[in-house]
Amino acid sequence: GSLLGKMLRIDVAGNPPNGYAIPPTNPVFPVAGALPEIWSFGLRNPWRWSFDRQSGDLWAGDVGQSAWEEIDKIVSGGNYGWRQREGAHCYNPATGCQTAGLIDPVAEYAHTASRCAVTGGHVYRGNVISALRGKYLYGDYCTGEIWSIPTTSGSFTPQLLLDSPYLIASF
């Protein structure tokens, strides 16, 4: 019944009384009172998200509460676990949280070495830096670090690209 912590999908070309339409392919949640605008849920604070221009995949940086930042590949009907988990770690409760049916982050990092808040980025599809082609680029607001992860393999090990002096709020 709440739009908080969700990714929404609406059709702004529609013109019903609320000013938009609900795409008929939105997931239907078997929960009383679930709002039809909801595309996915269990997110704490998605900070910058983008579509891969080639695959159409939706990528998001999700800012954690106090210990973990995460990168998610957002899918229709997906549950990313917030408020039970922060990243892939129990949050509420601190141990023994429910994990069945939850989607793990593609990548995550802890609040260590002054890291504090993920800034979601983009999948690089340019031709200038061939080594980055097809990789998702993202950063940390507090440290200015910028990382990449591959988007097509099962091993999403982050690679640090740059440790800049900037507060990265957007790409």
Side-chain angles (χ1 to χ4, degrees):
S2 170
L3 298 178
L4 298 174
K6 320 291 191 299
M7 291 295 279
L8 310 179
R9 183 172 176 250
I10 60 174
D11 177 0
V12 296
N15 198 14
N18 59 1
Y20 59 85
I22 306 299
T25 54
N26 269 14
V28 176
F29 296 100
V31 177
L35 300 171
E37 294 92 337
I38 298 171
W39 179 255
S40 61
F41 61 105
L43 299 160
R44 183 181 174 274
N45 184 15
W47 187 254
R48 306 298 189 243
W49 51 271
S50 63
F51 290 99
D52 180 341
R53 294 181 301 178
Q54 182 173 306
S55 69
D57 291 338
L58 176 57
W59 292 83
D62 192 15
V63 176
Q65 175 69 32
S66 58
W68 293 94
E69 304 298 304
E70 65 186 87
I71 301 298
D72 295 306
K73 189 173 176 181
I74 306 295
V75 298
S76 174
N79 181 352
Y80 296 87
W82 178 256
R83 213 170 143 87
Q84 299 161 23
R85 296 192 314 168
E86 182 181 13
H89 309 271
C90 289
Y91 174 76
N92 184 17
T95 60
C97 61
Q98 176 260 335
T99 59
L102 303 181
I103 298 173
D104 285 337
V106 170
E108 65 178 357
Y109 64 91
H111 286 190
T112 58
S114 299
R115 295 176 183 129
C116 74
V118 68
T119 299
H122 297 274
V123 175
Y124 181 76
R125 294 293 178 192
N127 294 317
V128 175
I129 308 172
S130 61
L132 293 180
R133 195 172 303 122
K135 294 187 178 178
Y136 180 74
L137 308 176
Y138 63 98
D140 183 79
Y141 175 78
C142 293
T143 64
E145 294 170 313
I146 298 174
W147 294 278
S148 72
I149 54 173
T151 58
T152 56
S153 77
S155 173
F156 296 105
T157 304
Q159 177 185 0
L160 180 64
L161 300 175
L162 177 67
D163 187 357
S164 80
Y166 304 109
L167 300 175
I168 300 173
S170 186
F171 282 82

